[in-house]
Amino acid sequence: MVRLFGPLVGLFFAVALLWSFGVGAIQAIREPEPATAVQVYHLAPHEPEPGFSFNGAFGKFDRAQLQRGFQVYKEVCSNCHSLHFVAFRDLAALGYSEAEVKAIAKDWSNKAKVVDPKTGDETQRDNVPADHFPKVYYAGTGNPPDLSLVTKARHEGPEYVYSLLTGYQDQPAELLKRFPDSKTPDGLYYNPYFANLNIAMPAPLADDQVTYGDGTKATKQQMAADVAAFLTWTAEPKMEKRKQTGWAVLGFLLAATVLAYLAKRNIWARVH
């Protein structure tokens, strides 16, 4: 009875899935979703020309690139965007010495805010390595997001950040002709990599905006790639360790599978 009931249950679920898929396909064919400006002109995020060194199963962070990306964040992005889930002491993983980390924390423009437990008064002090990057209180329009996890919160995160930073352009005449109501409002900027094409942040990068200590040419594309790599590290600082652990686990599972197969052959060798 149990043997008969099991296949019937499986058949029921298979039929239900096929029916659900068929109904959805028929509705999609009969009532196609009308094309919008975003769907027509939104482009797939792309990598910089050399690609990102951390992509792929064996990818690793380029420490020099991470330091350059941190410099771009510090000199350009930190005026508006927080990095509140990262502590100053985490920068040691980028190759900074203990003294350099202390200096970076102390010289950071936004000071740490502390509350006196007795009086409840809020005071400010210099940051120390154990502190997280202070939150930024932006006085302008819009609400700039915290960038700590931005590459995990966006599909194809590093590529998205790179494409967004390099994607500012004039609004295409073809777009306005096809969708007259899609004109970019005053105070916003057209960027085909942003979800609704119009973004409140003006283009943040320009050639030679920073001076790299290692002599790398600070083009807009180079700075965008560097800060995208840095923000990938802030979102997943243990990426390299995770990949190493993954390969070790796969090796263990492969060895266990081979041993299990050999044990099965040995146990059932005399059974005909």
Side-chain angles (χ1 to χ4, degrees):
M1 185 66 179
V2 175
R3 292 183 179 179
L4 179 62
F5 182 71
L8 289 177
V9 172
L11 180 62
F12 170 77
F13 280 105
V15 171
L17 288 173
L18 288 173
W19 179 82
S20 177
F21 174 78
V23 170
I26 292 173
Q27 289 179 347
I29 294 173
R30 290 181 177 177
E31 301 177 7
E33 185 178 356
T36 64
V38 174
Q39 292 170 325
V40 172
Y41 291 94
H42 185 72
L43 306 177
H46 59 280
E47 290 185 8
E49 194 64 30
F52 287 115
S53 64
F54 49 80
N55 281 344
F58 298 97
K60 294 183 178 181
F61 286 121
D62 180 345
R63 262 48 188 186
Q65 183 179 47
L66 295 183
Q67 291 193 14
R68 294 195 302 268
F70 171 65
Q71 182 179 349
V72 174
Y73 168 76
K74 178 182 178 182
E75 297 184 17
V76 180
C77 309
S78 64
N79 293 322
C80 303
H81 295 276
S82 299
L83 206 65
H84 192 57
F85 294 100
V86 181
F88 286 102
R89 62 188 174 193
D90 296 333
L91 296 177
L94 274 58
Y96 291 108
S97 67
E98 182 179 350
E100 289 174 325
V101 171
K102 288 182 178 179
I104 290 171
K106 182 178 179 180
D107 297 337
W108 200 256
S109 57
N110 294 333
K111 302 302 180 181
K113 294 185 178 182
V114 294
V115 177
D116 189 320
K118 295 182 179 179
T119 64
D121 295 334
E122 186 177 74
T123 58
Q124 292 185 340
R125 61 163 173 77
D126 290 338
N127 296 287
V128 297
D131 290 327
H132 285 218
F133 282 80
K135 289 186 177 180
V136 177
Y137 296 94
Y138 183 68
T141 59
N143 185 25
D146 184 278
L147 298 182
S148 307
L149 304 174
V150 67
T151 58
K152 298 291 286 184
R154 300 292 186 272
H155 180 62
E156 297 181 327
E159 293 79 9
Y160 168 81
V161 171
Y162 174 82
S163 299
L164 183 73
L165 293 176
T166 59
Y168 287 86
Q169 58 187 266
D170 294 331
Q171 196 168 20
E174 182 184 355
L175 174 63
L176 292 173
K177 182 178 179 181
R178 186 168 181 179
F179 302 97
D181 296 334
S182 66
K183 186 178 186 304
T184 299
D186 293 338
L188 299 181
Y189 304 88
Y190 177 79
N191 191 319
Y193 295 98
F194 194 63
N196 64 2
L197 303 180
N198 302 312
I199 185 172
M201 179 178 69
L205 300 179
D207 290 345
D208 300 319
Q209 192 169 356
V210 303
T211 301
Y212 285 138
D214 62 1
T216 301
K217 179 67 174 175
T219 64
K220 179 172 66 175
Q221 289 74 19
Q222 181 67 57
M223 289 185 290
D226 292 341
V227 77
F230 171 70
L231 294 177
T232 301
W233 172 81
T234 65
E236 198 170 4
K238 304 298 183 182
M239 176 190 289
E240 294 171 325
K241 184 64 175 178
R242 173 176 58 80
K243 291 181 179 181
Q244 294 171 0
T245 303
W247 282 113
V249 170
L250 287 176
F252 169 79
L253 292 176
L254 179 61
T257 300
V258 172
L259 291 175
Y261 174 74
L262 294 176
K264 179 258 184 186
R265 290 289 302 271
N266 183 56
I267 293 172
W268 293 94
R270 300 181 180 181
V271 178
H272 299 286

